[in-house]
PDB file of all heavy atoms in Angstrom:
ATOM      1  N   SER A   8      -2.762  -1.560  14.442  1.00 97.00           N
ATOM      2  CA  SER A   8      -2.767  -0.110  14.479  1.00 97.00           C
ATOM      3  C   SER A   8      -4.092   0.489  15.087  1.00 97.00           C
ATOM      4  O   SER A   8      -4.957  -0.262  15.536  1.00 97.00           O
ATOM      5  CB  SER A   8      -2.665   0.515  13.038  1.00 97.00           C
ATOM      6  OG  SER A   8      -3.819   0.296  12.380  1.00 97.00           O
ATOM      7  N   LEU A   9      -4.146   1.781  15.214  1.00 96.00           N
ATOM      8  CA  LEU A   9      -5.341   2.532  15.565  1.00 96.00           C
ATOM      9  C   LEU A   9      -6.086   3.115  14.382  1.00 96.00           C
ATOM     10  O   LEU A   9      -6.629   4.094  14.434  1.00 96.00           O
ATOM     11  CB  LEU A   9      -4.928   3.583  16.562  1.00 96.00           C
ATOM     12  CG  LEU A   9      -4.306   3.177  17.868  1.00 96.00           C
ATOM     13  CD1 LEU A   9      -4.027   4.379  18.792  1.00 96.00           C
ATOM     14  CD2 LEU A   9      -5.188   2.207  18.704  1.00 96.00           C
ATOM     15  N   GLY A  10      -6.117   2.316  13.357  1.00 96.00           N
ATOM     16  CA  GLY A  10      -6.842   2.697  12.193  1.00 96.00           C
ATOM     17  C   GLY A  10      -6.002   2.891  10.907  1.00 96.00           C
ATOM     18  O   GLY A  10      -6.525   2.943   9.757  1.00 96.00           O
ATOM     19  N   CYS A  11      -4.782   3.070  10.991  1.00 98.00           N
ATOM     20  CA  CYS A  11      -3.897   3.236   9.861  1.00 98.00           C
ATOM     21  C   CYS A  11      -3.484   1.903   9.233  1.00 98.00           C
ATOM     22  O   CYS A  11      -3.694   0.889   9.768  1.00 98.00           O
ATOM     23  CB  CYS A  11      -2.674   4.072  10.223  1.00 98.00           C
ATOM     24  SG  CYS A  11      -2.981   5.810  10.634  1.00 98.00           S
ATOM     25  N   VAL A  12      -2.860   2.013   8.107  1.00 98.00           N
ATOM     26  CA  VAL A  12      -2.241   0.874   7.443  1.00 98.00           C
ATOM     27  C   VAL A  12      -0.735   1.001   7.620  1.00 98.00           C
ATOM     28  O   VAL A  12      -0.107   1.879   7.082  1.00 98.00           O
ATOM     29  CB  VAL A  12      -2.621   0.874   5.884  1.00 98.00           C
ATOM     30  CG1 VAL A  12      -1.972  -0.400   5.256  1.00 98.00           C
ATOM     31  CG2 VAL A  12      -4.139   0.732   5.756  1.00 98.00           C
ATOM     32  N   GLU A  13      -0.144   0.205   8.501  1.00 98.00           N
ATOM     33  CA  GLU A  13       1.278   0.275   8.871  1.00 98.00           C
ATOM     34  C   GLU A  13       2.073  -0.620   8.022  1.00 98.00           C
ATOM     35  O   GLU A  13       1.745  -1.759   7.711  1.00 98.00           O
ATOM     36  CB  GLU A  13       1.357   0.029  10.342  1.00 98.00           C
ATOM     37  CG  GLU A  13       0.657   0.928  11.284  1.00 98.00           C
ATOM     38  CD  GLU A  13       0.769   0.492  12.752  1.00 98.00           C
ATOM     39  OE1 GLU A  13       1.133  -0.705  12.951  1.00 98.00           O
ATOM     40  OE2 GLU A  13       0.504   1.334  13.527  1.00 98.00           O
ATOM     41  N   LEU A  14       3.313  -0.090   7.643  1.00 98.00           N
ATOM     42  CA  LEU A  14       4.272  -0.920   6.923  1.00 98.00           C
ATOM     43  C   LEU A  14       5.619  -0.791   7.658  1.00 98.00           C
ATOM     44  O   LEU A  14       5.863   0.127   8.387  1.00 98.00           O
ATOM     45  CB  LEU A  14       4.376  -0.405   5.567  1.00 98.00           C
ATOM     46  CG  LEU A  14       3.111  -0.303   4.612  1.00 98.00           C
ATOM     47  CD1 LEU A  14       3.503   0.395   3.258  1.00 98.00           C
ATOM     48  CD2 LEU A  14       2.635  -1.736   4.373  1.00 98.00           C
ATOM     49  N   ASN A  15       6.478  -1.715   7.331  1.00 98.00           N
ATOM     50  CA  ASN A  15       7.875  -1.558   7.812  1.00 98.00           C
ATOM     51  C   ASN A  15       8.559  -0.413   7.094  1.00 98.00           C
ATOM     52  O   ASN A  15       8.041   0.047   6.022  1.00 98.00           O
ATOM     53  CB  ASN A  15       8.657  -2.876   7.785  1.00 98.00           C
ATOM     54  CG  ASN A  15       8.912  -3.388   6.368  1.00 98.00           C
ATOM     55  OD1 ASN A  15       9.264  -2.563   5.394  1.00 98.00           O
ATOM     56  ND2 ASN A  15       8.769  -4.677   6.194  1.00 98.00           N
ATOM     57  N   LEU A  16       9.847  -0.031   7.433  1.00 98.00           N
ATOM     58  CA  LEU A  16      10.377   1.137   6.919  1.00 98.00           C
ATOM     59  C   LEU A  16      10.690   0.892   5.450  1.00 98.00           C
ATOM     60  O   LEU A  16      10.409   1.883   4.607  1.00 98.00           O
ATOM     61  CB  LEU A  16      11.690   1.437   7.676  1.00 98.00           C
ATOM     62  CG  LEU A  16      12.423   2.692   7.234  1.00 98.00           C
ATOM     63  CD1 LEU A  16      11.560   4.006   7.351  1.00 98.00           C
ATOM     64  CD2 LEU A  16      13.796   2.866   8.005  1.00 98.00           C
ATOM     65  N   THR A  17      11.228  -0.174   5.049  1.00 98.00           N
ATOM     66  CA  THR A  17      11.569  -0.516   3.661  1.00 98.00           C
ATOM     67  C   THR A  17      10.368  -0.455   2.723  1.00 98.00           C
ATOM     68  O   THR A  17      10.344   0.237   1.692  1.00 98.00           O
ATOM     69  CB  THR A  17      12.310  -1.763   3.464  1.00 98.00           C
ATOM     70  OG1 THR A  17      13.552  -1.729   4.278  1.00 98.00           O
ATOM     71  CG2 THR A  17      12.755  -2.046   2.053  1.00 98.00           C
ATOM     72  N   ASP A  18       9.298  -1.088   3.165  1.00 98.00           N
ATOM     73  CA  ASP A  18       8.086  -1.206   2.374  1.00 98.00           C
ATOM     74  C   ASP A  18       7.313   0.268   2.216  1.00 98.00           C
ATOM     75  O   ASP A  18       6.864   0.596   1.206  1.00 98.00           O
ATOM     76  CB  ASP A  18       7.130  -2.144   2.863  1.00 98.00           C
ATOM     77  CG  ASP A  18       7.700  -3.618   2.673  1.00 98.00           C
ATOM     78  OD1 ASP A  18       8.448  -3.825   1.752  1.00 98.00           O
ATOM     79  OD2 ASP A  18       7.224  -4.510   3.418  1.00 98.00           O
ATOM     80  N   ALA A  19       7.406   0.976   3.426  1.00 98.00           N
ATOM     81  CA  ALA A  19       6.833   2.257   3.338  1.00 98.00           C
ATOM     82  C   ALA A  19       7.456   3.227   2.457  1.00 98.00           C
ATOM     83  O   ALA A  19       6.871   3.977   1.717  1.00 98.00           O
ATOM     84  CB  ALA A  19       6.762   2.868   4.812  1.00 98.00           C
ATOM     85  N   ALA A  20       8.883   3.132   2.449  1.00 98.00           N
ATOM     86  CA  ALA A  20       9.678   4.041   1.520  1.00 98.00           C
ATOM     87  C   ALA A  20       9.412   3.738   0.140  1.00 98.00           C
ATOM     88  O   ALA A  20       9.456   4.576  -0.784  1.00 98.00           O
ATOM     89  CB  ALA A  20      11.147   3.884   1.807  1.00 98.00           C
ATOM     90  N   HIS A  21       9.149   2.405  -0.129  1.00 98.00           N
ATOM     91  CA  HIS A  21       8.966   1.933  -1.516  1.00 98.00           C
ATOM     92  C   HIS A  21       7.558   2.381  -1.992  1.00 98.00           C
ATOM     93  O   HIS A  21       7.217   2.738  -3.176  1.00 98.00           O
ATOM     94  CB  HIS A  21       9.137   0.514  -1.601  1.00 98.00           C
ATOM     95  CG  HIS A  21       8.975  -0.090  -3.091  1.00 98.00           C
ATOM     96  ND1 HIS A  21       7.877  -0.637  -3.561  1.00 98.00           N
ATOM     97  CD2 HIS A  21      10.015  -0.093  -4.046  1.00 98.00           C
ATOM     98  CE1 HIS A  21       8.051  -0.930  -4.869  1.00 98.00           C
ATOM     99  NE2 HIS A  21       9.392  -0.656  -5.124  1.00 98.00           N
ATOM    100  N   ALA A  22       6.484   2.405  -1.002  1.00 98.00           N
ATOM    101  CA  ALA A  22       5.115   2.632  -1.412  1.00 98.00           C
ATOM    102  C   ALA A  22       4.881   4.143  -1.613  1.00 98.00           C
ATOM    103  O   ALA A  22       4.087   4.512  -2.428  1.00 98.00           O
ATOM    104  CB  ALA A  22       4.171   2.063  -0.362  1.00 98.00           C
ATOM    105  N   TRP A  23       5.604   4.988  -0.797  1.00 98.00           N
ATOM    106  CA  TRP A  23       5.253   6.344  -0.701  1.00 98.00           C
ATOM    107  C   TRP A  23       5.318   7.148  -2.070  1.00 98.00           C
ATOM    108  O   TRP A  23       4.436   7.910  -2.441  1.00 98.00           O
ATOM    109  CB  TRP A  23       6.157   7.047   0.289  1.00 98.00           C
ATOM    110  CG  TRP A  23       5.750   8.371   0.770  1.00 98.00           C
ATOM    111  CD1 TRP A  23       4.556   8.697   1.424  1.00 98.00           C
ATOM    112  CD2 TRP A  23       6.314   9.707   0.330  1.00 98.00           C
ATOM    113  NE1 TRP A  23       4.422  10.092   1.612  1.00 98.00           N
ATOM    114  CE2 TRP A  23       5.514  10.672   1.050  1.00 98.00           C
ATOM    115  CE3 TRP A  23       7.460   9.993  -0.303  1.00 98.00           C
ATOM    116  CZ2 TRP A  23       5.836  12.043   0.965  1.00 98.00           C
ATOM    117  CZ3 TRP A  23       7.730  11.415  -0.375  1.00 98.00           C
ATOM    118  CH2 TRP A  23       6.878  12.442   0.266  1.00 98.00           C
ATOM    119  N   PRO A  24       6.337   6.849  -2.981  1.00 98.00           N
ATOM    120  CA  PRO A  24       6.300   7.548  -4.223  1.00 98.00           C
ATOM    121  C   PRO A  24       5.156   7.281  -5.166  1.00 98.00           C
ATOM    122  O   PRO A  24       4.786   8.050  -6.060  1.00 98.00           O
ATOM    123  CB  PRO A  24       7.679   7.183  -4.868  1.00 98.00           C
ATOM    124  CG  PRO A  24       8.498   6.734  -3.726  1.00 98.00           C
ATOM    125  CD  PRO A  24       7.511   6.137  -2.727  1.00 98.00           C
ATOM    126  N   TYR A  25       4.624   6.043  -5.022  1.00 98.00           N
ATOM    127  CA  TYR A  25       3.486   5.663  -5.837  1.00 98.00           C
ATOM    128  C   TYR A  25       2.105   6.211  -5.312  1.00 98.00           C
ATOM    129  O   TYR A  25       1.238   6.481  -6.056  1.00 98.00           O
ATOM    130  CB  TYR A  25       3.337   4.096  -5.843  1.00 98.00           C
ATOM    131  CG  TYR A  25       4.487   3.411  -6.549  1.00 98.00           C
ATOM    132  CD1 TYR A  25       5.474   2.614  -5.839  1.00 98.00           C
ATOM    133  CD2 TYR A  25       4.538   3.546  -7.979  1.00 98.00           C
ATOM    134  CE1 TYR A  25       6.490   2.060  -6.535  1.00 98.00           C
ATOM    135  CE2 TYR A  25       5.712   2.962  -8.616  1.00 98.00           C
ATOM    136  CZ  TYR A  25       6.643   2.147  -7.908  1.00 98.00           C
ATOM    137  OH  TYR A  25       7.627   1.548  -8.571  1.00 98.00           O
ATOM    138  N   LEU A  26       2.052   6.340  -4.021  1.00 98.00           N
ATOM    139  CA  LEU A  26       0.780   6.838  -3.350  1.00 98.00           C
ATOM    140  C   LEU A  26       0.725   8.394  -3.397  1.00 98.00           C
ATOM    141  O   LEU A  26       0.714   9.008  -2.450  1.00 98.00           O
ATOM    142  CB  LEU A  26       0.659   6.338  -1.948  1.00 98.00           C
ATOM    143  CG  LEU A  26       0.608   4.793  -1.767  1.00 98.00           C
ATOM    144  CD1 LEU A  26       0.556   4.385  -0.353  1.00 98.00           C
ATOM    145  CD2 LEU A  26      -0.676   4.260  -2.584  1.00 98.00           C
ATOM    146  N   THR A  27       0.580   8.877  -4.588  1.00 98.00           N
ATOM    147  CA  THR A  27       0.502  10.272  -4.883  1.00 98.00           C
ATOM    148  C   THR A  27      -0.933  10.745  -4.708  1.00 98.00           C
ATOM    149  O   THR A  27      -1.914  10.007  -4.527  1.00 98.00           O
ATOM    150  CB  THR A  27       1.031  10.704  -6.244  1.00 98.00           C
ATOM    151  OG1 THR A  27       0.392   9.875  -7.225  1.00 98.00           O
ATOM    152  CG2 THR A  27       2.402  10.377  -6.414  1.00 98.00           C
ATOM    153  N   TYR A  28      -1.118  12.114  -4.754  1.00 98.00           N
ATOM    154  CA  TYR A  28      -2.441  12.682  -4.535  1.00 98.00           C
ATOM    155  C   TYR A  28      -3.411  12.113  -5.546  1.00 98.00           C
ATOM    156  O   TYR A  28      -3.206  12.091  -6.714  1.00 98.00           O
ATOM    157  CB  TYR A  28      -2.362  14.187  -4.613  1.00 98.00           C
ATOM    158  CG  TYR A  28      -1.590  14.855  -3.434  1.00 98.00           C
ATOM    159  CD1 TYR A  28      -0.405  15.450  -3.614  1.00 98.00           C
ATOM    160  CD2 TYR A  28      -2.167  14.864  -2.163  1.00 98.00           C
ATOM    161  CE1 TYR A  28       0.326  16.029  -2.650  1.00 98.00           C
ATOM    162  CE2 TYR A  28      -1.565  15.441  -1.124  1.00 98.00           C
ATOM    163  CZ  TYR A  28      -0.264  16.024  -1.353  1.00 98.00           C
ATOM    164  OH  TYR A  28       0.383  16.616  -0.264  1.00 98.00           O
ATOM    165  N   GLY A  29      -4.586  11.797  -5.031  1.00 98.00           N
ATOM    166  CA  GLY A  29      -5.595  11.269  -5.844  1.00 98.00           C
ATOM    167  C   GLY A  29      -5.618   9.738  -6.043  1.00 98.00           C
ATOM    168  O   GLY A  29      -6.517   9.110  -6.572  1.00 98.00           O
ATOM    169  N   SER A  30      -4.522   9.080  -5.540  1.00 98.00           N
ATOM    170  CA  SER A  30      -4.490   7.639  -5.715  1.00 98.00           C
ATOM    171  C   SER A  30      -5.509   6.989  -4.832  1.00 98.00           C
ATOM    172  O   SER A  30      -5.656   7.362  -3.720  1.00 98.00           O
ATOM    173  CB  SER A  30      -3.089   7.088  -5.406  1.00 98.00           C
ATOM    174  OG  SER A  30      -2.036   7.610  -6.133  1.00 98.00           O
ATOM    175  N   LEU A  31      -6.233   6.013  -5.413  1.00 98.00           N
ATOM    176  CA  LEU A  31      -7.273   5.370  -4.613  1.00 98.00           C
ATOM    177  C   LEU A  31      -6.708   4.280  -3.748  1.00 98.00           C
ATOM    178  O   LEU A  31      -5.913   3.425  -4.191  1.00 98.00           O
ATOM    179  CB  LEU A  31      -8.334   4.810  -5.549  1.00 98.00           C
ATOM    180  CG  LEU A  31      -9.187   5.818  -6.416  1.00 98.00           C
ATOM    181  CD1 LEU A  31     -10.270   5.003  -7.130  1.00 98.00           C
ATOM    182  CD2 LEU A  31      -9.749   6.943  -5.548  1.00 98.00           C
ATOM    183  N   VAL A  32      -7.159   4.206  -2.514  1.00 98.00           N
ATOM    184  CA  VAL A  32      -6.700   3.168  -1.596  1.00 98.00           C
ATOM    185  C   VAL A  32      -8.070   2.517  -1.116  1.00 98.00           C
ATOM    186  O   VAL A  32      -8.933   3.119  -0.587  1.00 98.00           O
ATOM    187  CB  VAL A  32      -6.039   3.789  -0.387  1.00 98.00           C
ATOM    188  CG1 VAL A  32      -5.662   2.604   0.558  1.00 98.00           C
ATOM    189  CG2 VAL A  32      -4.765   4.451  -0.834  1.00 98.00           C
ATOM    190  N   THR A  33      -8.075   1.206  -1.316  1.00 98.00           N
ATOM    191  CA  THR A  33      -9.226   0.347  -0.832  1.00 98.00           C
ATOM    192  C   THR A  33      -8.762  -0.483   0.426  1.00 98.00           C
ATOM    193  O   THR A  33      -7.787  -1.121   0.342  1.00 98.00           O
ATOM    194  CB  THR A  33      -9.712  -0.544  -1.918  1.00 98.00           C
ATOM    195  OG1 THR A  33     -10.220   0.199  -3.049  1.00 98.00           O
ATOM    196  CG2 THR A  33     -10.799  -1.537  -1.438  1.00 98.00           C
ATOM    197  N   VAL A  34      -9.625  -0.536   1.420  1.00 98.00           N
ATOM    198  CA  VAL A  34      -9.491  -1.447   2.527  1.00 98.00           C
ATOM    199  C   VAL A  34     -10.647  -2.350   2.504  1.00 98.00           C
ATOM    200  O   VAL A  34     -11.854  -2.025   2.481  1.00 98.00           O
ATOM    201  CB  VAL A  34      -9.597  -0.605   3.838  1.00 98.00           C
ATOM    202  CG1 VAL A  34      -9.456  -1.640   5.051  1.00 98.00           C
ATOM    203  CG2 VAL A  34      -8.482   0.402   3.945  1.00 98.00           C
ATOM    204  N   GLU A  35     -10.318  -3.566   2.315  1.00 96.00           N
ATOM    205  CA  GLU A  35     -11.318  -4.650   2.142  1.00 96.00           C
ATOM    206  C   GLU A  35     -11.074  -5.853   3.081  1.00 96.00           C
ATOM    207  O   GLU A  35      -9.912  -6.177   3.421  1.00 96.00           O
ATOM    208  CB  GLU A  35     -11.455  -5.068   0.753  1.00 96.00           C
ATOM    209  CG  GLU A  35     -10.227  -5.893   0.202  1.00 96.00           C
ATOM    210  CD  GLU A  35     -10.400  -6.452  -1.253  1.00 96.00           C
ATOM    211  OE1 GLU A  35     -11.253  -5.838  -1.947  1.00 96.00           O
ATOM    212  OE2 GLU A  35      -9.766  -7.367  -1.573  1.00 96.00           O
ATOM    213  N   ARG A  36     -12.139  -6.523   3.492  1.00 91.00           N
ATOM    214  CA  ARG A  36     -12.043  -7.741   4.223  1.00 91.00           C
ATOM    215  C   ARG A  36     -11.886  -8.900   3.361  1.00 91.00           C
ATOM    216  O   ARG A  36     -12.351  -8.952   2.283  1.00 91.00           O
ATOM    217  CB  ARG A  36     -13.346  -7.847   5.125  1.00 91.00           C
ATOM    218  CG  ARG A  36     -13.400  -6.790   6.135  1.00 91.00           C
ATOM    219  CD  ARG A  36     -14.553  -7.202   7.174  1.00 91.00           C
ATOM    220  NE  ARG A  36     -14.686  -6.092   8.179  1.00 91.00           N
ATOM    221  CZ  ARG A  36     -15.525  -5.176   8.219  1.00 91.00           C
ATOM    222  NH1 ARG A  36     -16.318  -5.041   7.187  1.00 91.00           N
ATOM    223  NH2 ARG A  36     -15.540  -4.267   9.204  1.00 91.00           N
ATOM    224  N   GLY A  37     -11.154  -9.924   3.869  1.00 73.00           N
ATOM    225  CA  GLY A  37     -10.951 -11.140   3.173  1.00 73.00           C
ATOM    226  C   GLY A  37      -9.634 -11.217   2.402  1.00 73.00           C
ATOM    227  O   GLY A  37      -8.987 -10.144   2.247  1.00 73.00           O
ATOM    228  N   ALA A  38      -9.385 -12.383   1.841  1.00 61.00           N
ATOM    229  CA  ALA A  38      -8.140 -12.618   1.113  1.00 61.00           C
ATOM    230  C   ALA A  38      -8.172 -11.878  -0.317  1.00 61.00           C
ATOM    231  O   ALA A  38      -9.336 -11.826  -0.912  1.00 61.00           O
ATOM    232  CB  ALA A  38      -7.845 -13.984   0.851  1.00 61.00           C
ATOM    233  N   LEU A  39      -7.032 -11.482  -0.754  1.00 51.00           N
ATOM    234  CA  LEU A  39      -7.000 -10.864  -2.031  1.00 51.00           C
ATOM    235  C   LEU A  39      -6.068 -11.724  -2.915  1.00 51.00           C
ATOM    236  O   LEU A  39      -4.974 -12.069  -2.446  1.00 51.00           O
ATOM    237  CB  LEU A  39      -6.358  -9.462  -1.966  1.00 51.00           C
ATOM    238  CG  LEU A  39      -6.082  -8.699  -3.259  1.00 51.00           C
ATOM    239  CD1 LEU A  39      -7.272  -8.409  -3.971  1.00 51.00           C
ATOM    240  CD2 LEU A  39      -5.193  -7.487  -2.964  1.00 51.00           C
ATOM    241  N   THR A  40      -6.462 -11.938  -4.131  1.00 47.00           N
ATOM    242  CA  THR A  40      -5.637 -12.719  -5.061  1.00 47.00           C
ATOM    243  C   THR A  40      -5.370 -11.826  -6.272  1.00 47.00           C
ATOM    244  O   THR A  40      -6.101 -11.939  -7.265  1.00 47.00           O
ATOM    245  CB  THR A  40      -6.301 -14.097  -5.455  1.00 47.00           C
ATOM    246  OG1 THR A  40      -6.672 -14.755  -4.320  1.00 47.00           O
ATOM    247  CG2 THR A  40      -5.367 -14.837  -6.357  1.00 47.00           C
ATOM    248  N   PRO A  41      -4.444 -10.951  -6.209  1.00 46.00           N
ATOM    249  CA  PRO A  41      -4.182  -9.999  -7.292  1.00 46.00           C
ATOM    250  C   PRO A  41      -3.520 -10.700  -8.483  1.00 46.00           C
ATOM    251  O   PRO A  41      -2.833 -11.703  -8.353  1.00 46.00           O
ATOM    252  CB  PRO A  41      -3.149  -9.059  -6.672  1.00 46.00           C
ATOM    253  CG  PRO A  41      -2.506  -9.782  -5.663  1.00 46.00           C
ATOM    254  CD  PRO A  41      -3.412 -10.765  -5.045  1.00 46.00           C
ATOM    255  N   ALA A  42      -3.934 -10.088  -9.622  1.00 44.00           N
ATOM    256  CA  ALA A  42      -3.316 -10.582 -10.879  1.00 44.00           C
ATOM    257  C   ALA A  42      -1.920 -10.100 -11.089  1.00 44.00           C
ATOM    258  O   ALA A  42      -1.517  -9.041 -10.573  1.00 44.00           O
ATOM    259  CB  ALA A  42      -4.141 -10.140 -12.050  1.00 44.00           C
ATOM    260  N   GLY A  43      -1.112 -11.028 -11.682  1.00 39.00           N
ATOM    261  CA  GLY A  43       0.295 -10.547 -11.904  1.00 39.00           C
ATOM    262  C   GLY A  43       1.167 -10.866 -10.764  1.00 39.00           C
ATOM    263  O   GLY A  43       0.942 -11.478  -9.785  1.00 39.00           O
ATOM    264  N   SER A  44       2.482 -10.381 -10.948  1.00 36.00           N
ATOM    265  CA  SER A  44       3.477 -10.642  -9.940  1.00 36.00           C
ATOM    266  C   SER A  44       4.032  -9.318  -9.514  1.00 36.00           C
ATOM    267  O   SER A  44       4.155  -8.318 -10.378  1.00 36.00           O
ATOM    268  CB  SER A  44       4.595 -11.547 -10.407  1.00 36.00           C
ATOM    269  OG  SER A  44       3.943 -12.818 -10.892  1.00 36.00           O
ATOM    270  N   PRO A  45       4.476  -9.186  -8.284  1.00 37.00           N
ATOM    271  CA  PRO A  45       5.152  -7.987  -7.892  1.00 37.00           C
ATOM    272  C   PRO A  45       6.386  -7.627  -8.710  1.00 37.00           C
ATOM    273  O   PRO A  45       7.130  -8.599  -9.071  1.00 37.00           O
ATOM    274  CB  PRO A  45       5.592  -8.204  -6.339  1.00 37.00           C
ATOM    275  CG  PRO A  45       4.627  -9.308  -5.952  1.00 37.00           C
ATOM    276  CD  PRO A  45       4.389 -10.142  -7.143  1.00 37.00           C
ATOM    277  N   THR A  46       6.570  -6.369  -8.969  1.00 34.00           N
ATOM    278  CA  THR A  46       7.667  -5.902  -9.720  1.00 34.00           C
ATOM    279  C   THR A  46       8.321  -4.735  -9.077  1.00 34.00           C
ATOM    280  O   THR A  46       7.720  -3.853  -8.615  1.00 34.00           O
ATOM    281  CB  THR A  46       7.255  -5.435 -11.111  1.00 34.00           C
ATOM    282  OG1 THR A  46       6.498  -6.482 -11.747  1.00 34.00           O
ATOM    283  CG2 THR A  46       8.472  -5.146 -11.975  1.00 34.00           C
ATOM    284  N   ALA A  47       9.600  -4.808  -8.868  1.00 30.00           N
ATOM    285  CA  ALA A  47      10.330  -3.738  -8.186  1.00 30.00           C
ATOM    286  C   ALA A  47      10.243  -2.445  -8.880  1.00 30.00           C
ATOM    287  O   ALA A  47      10.140  -2.405 -10.143  1.00 30.00           O
ATOM    288  CB  ALA A  47      11.801  -4.110  -8.021  1.00 30.00           C
TER     289      ALA A  47
END
């Protein structure tokens, strides 16, 4: 991209309702090992 975080259509549609106003977004270098498992 030219600076944005791009997703495919399905993932973007799923992410958008969660990313409401005030939600924090972190961009970090390196691998991420998040706790837990993805949940629909």
Side-chain angles (χ1 to χ4, degrees):
S8 77
L9 296 180
C11 289
V12 178
E13 298 174 344
L14 302 173
N15 66 40
L16 183 60
T17 300
D18 290 338
H21 187 262
W23 196 68
Y25 292 112
L26 297 176
T27 52
Y28 290 110
S30 299
L31 298 184
V32 177
T33 294
V34 177
E35 65 177 24
R36 294 191 176 96
L39 172 70
T40 306
S44 302
T46 305

